Amino acid sequence: FFPWSPFFFFFCFVRELKSVEEILKIDIKPGWKKGTKITFPGKGNQEPGFAPADLIFVLDESPHAIFKRDGNDLVAIQKILLVDALIGKTLNLATLDGRDLTIQMADIVKPGYELVILNEGMPISKEPGKKGNLRIMFDVIFPSRLTTQQKCDLRRILSDVYY
């Protein structure tokens, strides 16, 4: 090697990165929606010569047996018997936050009927103290068969009803 030589030598060295274990706490706020990103700057992987990457968590939702989220509203499908759809019923529904709601149904449940309970939906994360609505949709269970006498009785009872 001569001082005027056109060849250059590069010396690389790799410093050993240590594996670091750290517990990160994520406070999920009530009402956060699916897709919300939680970022921990500089807590991700690191390569020599580069700044550590950000660690990003993306929120997902687990399905619920009763409720489905629609924006800030909660939707529940409630099965009811035909007789209850016609004469009314008291519903008892457990909320996501553990309360029991008693809902008195006085209206006749028609196809497409939806009962809206104001402020019983998901918390609105950007508006503390506010909530969406609870929307209850009904699935009316019809009898699979009626006796001749039941049919006659229904005809007699319902023939006086004005639609």
Side-chain angles (χ1 to χ4, degrees), residues 72-125:
N72 292 317
D73 290 349
L74 285 176
V75 178
I77 296 177
Q78 181 72 43
K79 290 182 179 281
I80 61 168
L81 299 173
L82 176 60
V83 67
D84 294 329
L86 294 173
I87 65 171
K89 178 181 172 97
T90 300
L91 296 176
N92 295 308
L93 196 60
T95 63
L96 291 177
D97 59 4
R99 294 176 296 119
D100 288 320
L101 288 181
T102 301
I103 303 160
Q104 187 64 42
M105 291 178 35
D107 296 336
I108 292 176
V109 175
K110 300 173 186 151
Y113 177 79
E114 184 177 280
L115 180 62
V116 177
I117 311 297
L118 300 176
N119 301 313
E120 286 295 344
M122 292 297 291
I124 301 172
S125 61

Side-chain angles (χ1 to χ4, degrees), residues 28-69:
I28 306 294
K29 304 283 189 253
W32 276 4
K33 295 179 181 173
K34 178 179 180 172
T36 299
K37 292 182 180 180
I38 301 104
T39 304
F40 291 95
K43 297 292 184 181
N45 290 338
Q46 183 178 4
E47 294 183 28
F50 294 96
D54 293 344
L55 182 60
I56 302 172
F57 291 90
V58 180
L59 225 57
D60 198 1
E61 293 177 354
S62 296
H64 191 272
I66 298 170
F67 300 106
K68 182 178 177 190
R69 185 175 187 160

Side-chain angles (χ1 to χ4, degrees), residues 2-61:
F2 297 95
W4 48 267
S5 170
F7 299 106
F8 296 96
F9 290 94
F10 292 99
F11 293 96
C12 290
F13 63 94
V14 177
R15 101 185 129 138
E16 186 177 313
L17 298 177
K18 293 181 181 178
S19 185
V20 177
E21 205 172 295
E22 184 176 352
I23 296 174
L24 300 172
K25 182 179 177 185
I26 300 175
D27 291 318
I28 306 294
K29 304 283 189 253
W32 276 4
K33 295 179 181 173
K34 178 179 180 172
T36 299
K37 292 182 180 180
I38 301 104
T39 304
F40 291 95
K43 297 292 184 181
N45 290 338
Q46 183 178 4
E47 294 183 28
F50 294 96
D54 293 344
L55 182 60
I56 302 172
F57 291 90
V58 180
L59 225 57
D60 198 1
E61 293 177 354

